[in-house]
Amino acid sequence: MMKDSLEDILGQSMRPLRLGAVQLDRLRRLTGHFNSVICWDGAGAVAAPAAAVLVIEVAHAPRIEALVNSLHENSIVILPFGENPAFDLLKSKLYAHGSLGAHAAEAPHHVWWGGVKPPAVRTGIYRKEDTLFISSFQRAGREADHADRLVGDLQRLGLNHTVMDISQEIGSARQNSPKVDFIVEQWTNTGRPVFWIDPHARLRGHPLLPQASGCDFAVHRQLNGAMTTGALFFRQTESAHALLDSWQRLTRSHPGLPESFLLDQAWTLATSQRQIETAWLPDAYWRTSEMKAQDGTIIRGRFVAGNDDQLLAPFAIPLQSGRRFGRHQAPEAHLVMKGAAGTRKPITVVIRDVLAASARDVAEAVEAAASAFAADAGGFSQMEIVLCGWNEDIESVLHIEDYSWVLMTDPSERLQANSFSSLSRLDANAGQRPAGHEWAGGLSSHEESVLALVDASLGARFMPGRQYRRSFIRRPDLALRQ
């Protein structure tokens, strides 16, 4: 189905897509590079060359296969509801190019785009001096020789760079995070975008893609979805600063965990609260020296300092299934909104059975929850929205031990403007019960009150499954139950 413009597609019918100002502006610039903008009808092939194809609804596997096979090599696919795991199949058949995070009720979705080819630098004029290439090494760790070779590559390519010996930082108050601190220091003091490269790596060409893409942050992922930290780009934006700050604080607080995992967690925090644009670097930006890498831009040595190549701890492995597709994975929230400080604890809104519903219904449920919290937070300090496709996802949410509340909903329900203030009153009444009581027995007497939160005009009904019979559940706090 052809449309004259991106605006026509986003505003079609009575259910326009809700995207934030930053997301809309980025999509306008992105689609401006293509011959046409198409909203896929969910069935037919796309014959147009170099088209930007918006996919609004989920389709069955044969139709997805037909879509991908019909795409021109210079076309891209845009998913306005990229947080929905129902789109994982389509994403798995494409190369990820970029994504944009969520920001409150005005931008409650993650936008994702990719193509049948890895992202490439578009024709244009780019100044080498616009990016500072940085690296650090520890002379005591026998990294100096590797760093010298990297400096030689940077000089050969005429790239501005700072490669520094940080051995003096070891043993200081910043010993837990010398690499992260170095990146933050360079980003802050120079006022320029910085591109970190591991000192063991070699450069075969100018790694221009992050600069050309206009992203806030660029990173490479392994096939299992885990981020690598050998090549990282941070633009001079508030969003990049928030990501760096989160990564630095996590690294200082948890020095025993892999820095790649901590970066991953910082990214989930940043993209659930800001429209941060991430560029997903292709394999050419992080190849091993053992691979056939004649076309590689950044080649890493066989032995690289750090712990990116280590197997992640068991608690991190489940998150990788989501990260392979550039999205959050339950129990992570894809959208986090702040309420009033110093009031009630956070509340998590679970939208369950998302794989059995239309993408539009899931998106509208997300939008309704975000709008309701923005209208009246009901005294809750924070609201998190988690999309769950399976009962295992719900279990992972319920077993978080922080004694906050979980509101269980499904994609057919729409929370109203007074939903969270009503829940706040239920919370106050339930607060008189013994600790752990709600976890064991639920709040059956309040079931009808929670049903009233749903827009009756939609004809939606709360239909609890056999396992999750309650809609408003308090998570346990083991410290209080001992």
Side-chain angles (χ1 to χ4, degrees):
M1 180 169 64
M2 283 285 194
K3 291 290 179 178
D4 293 333
S5 68
L6 176 68
E7 279 70 18
D8 288 336
I9 296 176
L10 298 179
Q12 63 182 319
S13 73
M14 300 298 292
R15 306 166 73 184
L17 305 183
R18 186 188 301 186
L19 300 177
V22 173
Q23 294 171 333
L24 286 171
D25 178 69
R26 183 66 181 102
L27 289 186
R28 290 188 186 102
R29 290 185 286 113
L30 182 64
T31 55
H33 295 296
F34 295 87
N35 295 339
S36 58
V37 183
I38 299 171
C39 185
W40 186 50
D41 60 10
V46 175
V53 182
L54 271 73
V55 176
I56 309 299
E57 270 301 343
V58 181
H60 295 300
R63 293 183 176 181
I64 292 294
E65 194 73 31
L67 167 64
V68 174
N69 290 339
S70 70
L71 290 173
H72 185 270
E73 64 176 6
N74 293 326
S75 293
I76 62 166
V77 171
I78 300 172
L79 303 177
F81 311 137
E83 72 275 5
N84 194 328
F87 289 108
D88 284 357
L89 175 62
L90 175 55
K91 290 179 181 179
S92 71
K93 298 181 179 297
L94 300 170
Y95 289 94
H97 290 189
S99 59
L100 266 167
H103 179 75
E106 63 268 21
H109 304 296
H110 288 242
V111 179
W112 182 98
W113 61 94
V116 295
K117 294 197 310 183
V121 177
R122 294 190 175 276
T123 301
I125 300 175
Y126 306 103
R127 301 192 313 163
K128 290 183 177 181
E129 58 268 26
D130 285 346
T131 299
L132 178 66
F133 291 84
I134 63 174
S135 188
S136 61
F137 64 94
Q138 299 174 26
R139 192 169 300 278
R142 300 181 180 178
E143 296 178 341
D145 291 342
H146 296 284
D148 288 342
R149 286 190 285 270
L150 175 61
V151 169
D153 292 339
L154 291 164
Q155 292 174 340
R156 172 177 52 83
L157 295 168
L159 302 176
N160 292 344
H161 59 275
T162 297
V163 179
M164 186 178 297
D165 180 3
I166 59 170
S167 300
Q168 67 274 13
E169 298 292 343
I170 307 304
S172 70
R174 296 164 58 182
Q175 63 179 330
N176 290 341
S177 54
K179 169 181 168 179
V180 180
D181 290 339
F182 173 75
I183 295 175
V184 172
E185 182 180 85
Q186 295 299 312
W187 186 91
T188 302
N189 293 342
T190 64
R192 299 167 63 183
V194 298
F195 196 133
W196 157 269
I197 300 177
D198 189 277
H200 291 73
R202 300 297 304 274
L203 283 182
R204 290 191 171 178
H206 182 189
L208 186 58
L209 182 60
Q211 177 185 339
S213 71
C215 63
D216 298 298
F217 167 61
V219 65
H220 174 266
R221 292 178 309 197
Q222 300 178 48
L223 291 177
N224 63 5
M227 290 184 176
T228 62
T229 60
L232 300 170
F233 174 84
F234 299 92
R235 191 176 296 278
Q236 281 288 331
T237 63
E238 186 276 334
S239 294
H241 177 262
L243 175 60
L244 280 167
D245 181 65
S246 294
W247 188 27
Q248 185 179 47
R249 286 188 286 106
L250 287 173
T251 303
R252 290 178 174 178
S253 301
H254 306 280
L257 294 179
E259 60 188 14
S260 57
F261 172 72
L262 296 176
L263 175 62
D264 176 283
Q265 293 302 293
W267 179 84
T268 66
L269 290 172
T271 56
S272 64
Q273 301 176 69
R274 290 174 173 80
Q275 297 173 81
I276 179 172
E277 180 176 342
T278 302
W280 301 107
L281 296 176
D283 288 341
Y285 276 70
W286 197 239
R287 291 182 179 271
T288 66
S289 58
E290 297 174 324
M291 300 170 65
K292 293 181 179 179
Q294 288 79 6
D295 59 341
T297 302
I298 303 176
I299 313 299
R300 67 181 176 95
R302 181 177 180 181
F303 299 104
V304 178
N307 45 23
D308 279 342
D309 293 328
Q310 297 177 0
L311 292 177
L312 287 183
F315 65 82
I317 292 175
L319 304 179
Q320 293 179 355
S321 60
R323 215 68 76 239
R324 283 198 298 269
F325 310 110
R327 63 170 176 82
H328 297 54
Q329 169 82 356
E332 298 170 335
H334 94 268
L335 177 65
V336 177
M337 293 176 59
K338 300 293 185 182
T343 53
R344 298 190 183 279
K345 287 190 174 183
I347 182 170
T348 298
V349 176
V350 169
I351 303 177
R352 66 187 188 187
D353 300 328
V354 296
L355 297 178
S358 74
R360 280 276 197 175
D361 280 339
V362 174
E364 290 184 4
V366 168
E367 293 169 6
S371 296
F373 192 79
D376 185 351
F380 290 102
S381 62
Q382 182 171 288
M383 188 266 303
E384 304 176 357
I385 298 179
V386 181
L387 302 184
C388 294
W390 309 95
N391 281 347
E392 291 80 1
D393 296 337
I394 299 175
E395 287 284 350
S396 65
V397 174
L398 295 181
H399 279 88
I400 297 174
E401 297 158 8
D402 63 1
Y403 212 51
S404 61
W405 284 105
V406 176
L407 175 62
M408 202 77 62
T409 68
D410 66 48
S412 70
E413 298 176 334
R414 306 290 180 266
L415 296 184
Q416 300 300 284
N418 66 340
S419 294
F420 291 96
S421 58
S422 299
L423 291 173
S424 184
R425 289 192 294 272
L426 296 182
D427 185 11
N429 294 334
Q432 306 303 316
R433 298 170 180 252
H437 180 85
E438 291 79 17
W439 171 255
L443 297 175
S444 57
S445 62
H446 298 308
E447 197 72 47
E448 293 301 322
S449 297
V450 177
L451 283 172
L453 304 177
V454 178
D455 185 356
S457 67
L458 296 175
R461 291 183 55 203
F462 187 87
M463 296 181 291
R466 290 182 301 171
Q467 186 170 0
Y468 303 105
R469 306 180 66 85
R470 308 305 178 208
S471 53
F472 192 35
I473 305 169
R474 176 169 283 184
R475 290 189 286 217
D477 188 328
L478 295 185
L480 295 177
R481 298 177 66 182
Q482 292 176 347

